[in-house]
Structure formats: C-alpha cells, structure tokens
Amino acid sequence: MIADILTGALRSGTSVMLASQGELVSERAGVINLGTEGAMLAGALGGFAVTVWTGNPWLGVLAGGFCGMLIAAIHAFLVLTCGANQLATGLTIMFFAIGLTSFFGREFVSQRIVGFNPVPIPLLSDIPFVGGILFNHDPLTYLSIALVPCLWYALFRKRLGVILRAAGEREEVLFASGINPKLVRYLAVLAGGCLAGVGGVQLSVAFTHSWVENMTQGRGVVAVALVIFASWKPARAMLGAYLFGAAQALQLTVQQMGWPISTFFLFMVPYLLTLAALLVVERRKQSVTPEALGKVLAGDTGG
Amino acid sequence: MKQQAAALPLQGASDIWRSRVRSAGVQAAVLLAPFVLYGLFLLANGVNPWTLYVSMIRSTFGDLYGLGEVLLKATPIILTGLAAALPAKAGLVNVGGEGQLAIGALFSTWFAVFYLDQMSAWVGIPLMLLAGALGGAVWAGITAALKVSGRLNETITSLLLNYVAAYTVSFFVHGLLKDPESFNWPFSPEISPALRLPILDGTRLHIGFAVAIAFAAVVWFVLAKTRVGFRIRVLGSNRLAAERAGFNINRTYVAVLLAGGVLAGIAGMIEIAGIEGRLRPETGADYGYLGFLAAMMAWNHPVRLIATGFLLGMISVAGNTLEIGSGLPSSSVHILMGLVLFFILGSRRQKEG
C-alpha cells in the first residue's frame, strides 16, 4: 500500500513538479506567474491534440511546451512591457486559458490515445520495493527527475544562473555589466511557461491519457505556492510536488481500501497540505526571497 | 502621474480639457478593442459577431424579463467585485470571493434549513443574511489570519482556499445537508418559502439587486468620505507612508479582508434565497472570479463596479444565448472576458504614469 502511494506520488506529482521548476526559473528572475495554471492547461491540450493527430507523444511534448510558452508570452508582454500587476495578470491568463482550452478542446474530450506508458528500466526495476516506485515510469517522468539536478547546476554553478538570479535580485548589476535585465526576465518567463506546458503534457498524455475541460484543477496554482514553500530551491520544489502527488495518490488508496473517510476531505488534502507547508516555511524565512519578487508579494508593485 | 501633476498648473484650461478627452478616448478604445478582437475570433469560427452583439443588446434591453436576467447575474458579480475591490484599495489582491461566496451560501442554507424553517420572512431573511455574512467572514478570516500572523501572500492562500471551499460545499451537500428525498442527487433540502426574497413581477429579479447597489454605495461612501476609508487608501497607495503615519496596518488588512468576506458571503446568501432555494455543489460557481474581473475593469471603484458588473452580467447571459443560438460552448465567453482584461491591464500603466 505504501508502495502504491509512493508510486502514485511520482506519477501524479510529476506534472506539478515540472510546472513548479518552470515557475522557479521565472520567480528567480523576479516574475511570479499565476498563469502557470493556464500554461499547464494549454500544454495539456496542445500536447494531447498533437498526439491525437500524429500518434507521436514526443511531438506532443514539443507542441505542449510551445503552447505553454505562448501563454507565458502574454504574461511576459503585459507584465514586463506594459507594467501590469503581476498577480492580476496571471489570474486573468488563468481564466483566459480555461476559456480558450475548453473552446478548442471540445472535439478532444472523448478521444483516446496511446501516449506515454510506463517503461520499466531493466534490472533496476527488479529491486524489491524501491524498483517499483522509482524505476517503472513513463519517459517524461524520468526526464523530469533528471531535469532537477541540471536546473540546480545551471542556476547555482553557471554564469547563466548568476545572470538569471541577478535579474531577480539586483537588476542594476546586470545593467552595469551590459546585460538587459528585461530580456533575461522575458526568457525566464518563456522558459517557465514551456516547462509548465510540458507538465501539462505529462498530465494529459502520460498520466490520464485523456483531455477533460479544466483538467489541471488548480495544479498550476499549487505549483506557484510550492515554489515559495521550497524557498526557490529546485530540490525542495520537487519534494513538495511529490508530497502533493502523494496526497492525490492517497485518495485512490483510501477508496480502494474502503476506509470510511469522505472523498471530499481527501480532495482537500493536497491544497491544505500546500497551505500548511507554506505556513511552516514562511515563519522562518524572509531573506531568501528574491528581492524583486518580495516587492510583488508585499504588494509594492510600482509597475 | 508625478510629472503630470507638476506640469498641469502650467497648462491652460483648454489643454487640461483636451487631455481629459484624449484619456476618455483611450479608455473607450481599450474597452472596444477586445470586442472587435473577439468578433474576429467568432468570425473565424463561423459565427457572425454582429448578430451576436445585436442580440446581446436586444435581449438585455428588449424586455423586462431579459433585463431582469442580466441584473440577476450582475448582483453576485457586484458583491464579489466589492469583495475584491475593497481589499484592493488597501493594496491586497483578494481572489477568495469564489470560496467566500460558496461558504456564505453553505452557512445561510444550513441556518435556513435547520434553525429558521418556521420563522417569518421579517425575522428569517435578515438572520439568513447574517449567517451568509458570517460564513464569508469565516472563510476570509482564514486568509486574513494567514496574511497577518503567517505573512502568507493573500492571493495564493485565497486562491488555494477556493478549491477547499468547493470541496467543503460538496462534502455537505453529499452528506449532512443532503435532501433525504433527493434520490441521491447532491443538493440540500429546499429552504422554506417564507425565506425566499421578494420577486419583481414578470421577471425572476429579486430584491437582492437593490441590496448589491446599496452595498456598493456604502463601500463608496466609506472609502471616499470617512477616516477609515482614507487610511485604507493611503495604505494601498503607499504602504511606507501608512507605516510612518503610525496606522495599524495589520488591523486594516484584517478589516478589509473580513469586510470583503462578508460581502461575498452575502452574495452567496442572495443566490440561495433569491434564485436557487437550495444549495447545490455548483451554486454560485465562477461568480467570485467574475467579480474579481469586474473589480479590475472598474479600477476598483465601487460605483463604476456597478457598470462593469452589469456588463459582465450581459456577457454571461450572452454566453447562454451563444450556446443555444450558435452552438459555441458558453466557456468561450471566458475568452472575451480575458481579452477585455488584457487590454485593461496593459493600458493601465499609461493611466497611472
């Protein structure tokens, strides 16, 4: 049973994990994007549609990433070029994407696809207990796990990461060294949208193998919250996402076991868990918040 | 804004007038452009936007029933819009109207079904209203407590709590509050007829619309004319100044969030007592978000909010027409709303400086 929950944690947490890594990149550059929810939805639909048309889930991943990027581009333009309020813009994008995807997604609702399926890694997946949990997943999940250390390395050990983080902390420094901070932020937001889109693809093409209207159910919002919970650290965001996934997997297990707990309470658990996690972490940190982001969260958005 | 203010005294009166006309022109263009874009979108999908817009206006102003339907939709949008606008004046982004409305509806139904069943309208309806307000305040109180004592950003917490609220309502209508005679359909028993709001003949319109207008006026008065309102506005426009002036910032935050919750909770009560008569899982769904959008469109001004709430009400009713008339899903109206907001958000900088 524990193995079931842990396996489920990875399977249903991966979409949130990818989105939260993307959001982390964007927030490190000083832009919070609640439109992540919208980017995930767009990615989920775009990836699903292309998989239906071509039968090739990898093309679906490309398309989903691209759709997520398009949605994030709206955010980047409004926030960075027009100086709009980041939180309000993100929310608007969320509604816009819900409308757009349910409009274009009508014909895909009852479609079925092969998509991504679990590929057990030879030998490793035979390890008792651990093998089943870690080494029996779809290819996207493996890739997403590999992404986290790569992202950490790029953020904290490479020049690229320094530039990105400087955009979120002290943009004057970037100016002084001849780099346009606005451009860095644009790229960060686009990269974030791309990852969120791929997260959406994981949800529709690898996890549920279907498209349903508004299928992300707040996962994008949770991803944004998780980044704050994770103090903007990739590994912790991954952990948080799997915690969310575990809470979702718990629902299935409890239903299967027939325990007398209302399903609606179980549906709430992931969101409550995210809130509780935020509360615990927020109490003992403030200094690690990227400076530009701190201003947004405190409501001091001068534009 | 600063530069403008410095430059203004040097200009002649006619220049000021001209710049006002121009900014009104920009505002009109900002409001029209999304309708044009959406029209193109409809055209690309084989629907004539002109007939849609005409039928939208005709069904709104053509007869009393149509107007009543729009006002019915506008009522909760205005109230949840106030729930977003009031905290926004203090610099907070409260998106919790959705959940606060749902919990307000839950509380008011609970009280109506279990305690107020035998009461006359004169006692029962105000008590039910109080119950709804209490429900909204409780839900907003969670966000406020997390904001003040946990330093959590209110946007994210209120958004997360919306999902929790929806599941809470589902839990109750599937369990403790389920109608025993409903054959397993998830809804509450019907509230007593005495508790229903009075209805205008020939429409479904109830007294709730007047309540919403009254609250908009109250919020406007408080913000514009009282000391509390002044403090809220100072806090919203310059937090540092408010701190230096010795205002109790946390208390103001809690107050505006709770007041917002009360307003959204009342919207939930009005939905129950005015239209639905019983609680369903999807009672009032989306109104919280629509209210937030209406508040954004009105630049958080309570009186303009009445107009934008009306406009969004029109668009929602048109969404139904769209679905029936041209086979487009009603969700495509979200696209129009998104477009409207993109233009408003994008143009705001020119306005503010």
Side-chain angles (χ1 to χ4, degrees), chain B residues 1-321:
Chain B
M1 199 63 138
K2 265 176 233 154
Q3 286 160 350
Q4 254 179 8
L8 274 181
L10 300 174
Q11 292 175 333
S14 66
D15 285 338
I16 296 173
W17 185 240
R18 199 175 296 157
S19 78
R20 270 201 193 153
V21 170
R22 191 182 299 152
S23 89
V26 170
Q27 284 191 24
V30 162
L31 285 178
L32 275 178
F35 287 91
V36 174
L37 264 183
Y38 186 65
L40 293 175
F41 170 79
L42 288 180
L43 214 55
N45 285 285
V47 176
N48 186 347
W50 186 247
T51 48
L52 172 76
Y53 290 146
V54 168
S55 84
M56 200 167 122
I57 290 170
R58 194 170 290 153
S59 68
T60 310
F61 297 107
D63 57 15
L64 199 60
Y65 182 82
L67 187 63
E69 287 299 299
V70 171
L71 294 181
L72 267 186
K73 290 265 182 193
T75 302
I77 296 178
I78 291 171
L79 283 168
T80 53
L82 290 171
L86 185 61
K89 284 284 181 188
L92 300 179
V93 182
N94 172 30
V95 216
E98 183 83 7
Q100 290 150 14
L101 183 147
I103 301 296
L106 173 65
F107 268 52
S108 52
T109 314
W110 180 275
F111 273 78
V113 168
F114 292 121
Y115 309 121
L116 308 174
D117 205 29
Q118 308 297 325
M119 297 228 182
S120 70
W122 289 107
V123 187
I125 290 179
L127 282 177
M128 200 175 151
L129 188 103
L130 281 180
L134 179 70
V138 165
W139 210 248
I142 304 175
T143 305
L146 290 171
K147 168 85 187 167
V148 169
S149 63
R151 289 197 313 234
L152 287 186
N153 177 269
E154 74 287 349
T155 312
I156 290 162
T157 52
S158 60
L159 204 51
L160 284 172
L161 282 170
N162 285 347
Y163 296 97
V164 180
Y167 291 128
T168 308
V169 169
S170 291
F171 169 73
F172 277 98
V173 294
H174 280 92
L176 296 171
L177 203 55
K178 191 160 91 174
D179 187 354
E181 289 151 27
S182 73
F183 302 106
N184 266 336
W185 286 98
F187 47 68
S188 76
E190 198 154 358
I191 64 172
S192 128
L195 295 174
R196 301 298 294 265
L197 297 178
I199 283 179
L200 190 70
D201 280 343
T203 64
R204 297 200 299 151
L205 184 65
H206 51 71
I207 194 105
F209 183 69
V211 174
I213 300 280
F215 274 113
V218 169
V219 171
W220 171 80
F221 180 81
V222 169
L223 279 174
K225 302 287 174 193
T226 68
R227 192 187 297 180
V228 180
F230 176 71
R231 292 191 168 195
I232 292 174
R233 284 183 292 133
V234 170
L235 177 56
S237 48
N238 192 337
R239 191 191 147 112
L240 205 62
E243 250 167 42
R244 293 286 150 81
F247 295 174
N248 190 335
I249 288 176
N250 279 344
R251 198 161 68 194
T252 314
Y253 279 160
V254 171
V256 287
L257 283 172
L258 286 184
V262 163
L263 291 164
I266 288 173
M269 175 271 174
I270 288 175
E271 279 304 289
I272 298 294
I275 306 172
E276 306 243 350
R278 54 172 94 224
L279 186 65
R280 295 175 300 121
E282 58 275 13
T283 298
D286 269 355
Y287 281 134
Y289 294 125
L290 290 177
F292 178 82
L293 303 187
M296 292 292 309
M297 286 169 68
W299 276 280
N300 296 317
H301 190 290
V303 177
R304 282 195 217 168
L305 180 61
I306 298 175
T308 54
F310 185 80
L311 182 68
L312 286 188
M314 248 171 98
I315 297 177
S316 322
V317 173
N320 297 343
T321 330

Side-chain angles (χ1 to χ4, degrees), chain A residues 32 34 37 74 78 80-85 87-89 91-96 98-100 102-104 106 182 213 217-219 221-222 224-225 228 262 264-265 267-268 271-272 274-275 278-279 282-286 296-300 302-303, chain B residues 41-42 45 91 93 95 142 146-147 149-157 159-161 163-165 167-172 174 236 239 253 289-290 292-293 296 327-329 331-332 334-339 341-343 345-350 352:
Chain A
I32 186 166
L34 282 173
E37 175 87 11
I74 306 176
L78 285 172
L80 296 172
T81 302
C82 304
N85 179 307
L87 295 169
T89 306
L91 279 172
T92 308
I93 285 175
M94 184 171 133
F95 304 127
F96 182 69
I98 290 175
L100 209 60
S102 46
F103 181 82
F104 287 111
R106 276 173 304 164
K182 200 180 258 186
E213 203 172 289
Q217 288 286 319
R219 281 162 187 263
V221 180
V222 168
V224 176
I228 300 172
S262 164
F264 298 104
F265 277 127
F267 288 145
M268 280 179 218
Y271 303 95
L272 291 176
T274 310
L275 274 174
L278 273 176
L279 190 64
E282 193 71 16
R283 283 191 165 275
R284 55 176 168 75
K285 70 117 216 297
Q286 194 73 315
V296 178
L297 291 177
D300 301 337
Chain B
F41 170 79
L42 288 180
N45 285 285
V93 182
V95 216
I142 304 175
L146 290 171
K147 168 85 187 167
S149 63
R151 289 197 313 234
L152 287 186
N153 177 269
E154 74 287 349
T155 312
I156 290 162
T157 52
L159 204 51
L160 284 172
L161 282 170
Y163 296 97
V164 180
Y167 291 128
T168 308
V169 169
S170 291
F171 169 73
F172 277 98
H174 280 92
R239 191 191 147 112
Y253 279 160
Y289 294 125
L290 290 177
F292 178 82
L293 303 187
M296 292 292 309
L328 289 176
S331 60
S332 61
H334 279 279
I335 303 173
L336 175 58
M337 285 173 183
L339 285 174
L341 281 155
F342 285 151
F343 274 89
L345 286 164
S347 71
R348 183 171 294 185
R349 193 189 193 172
Q350 281 94 338
E352 286 179 350

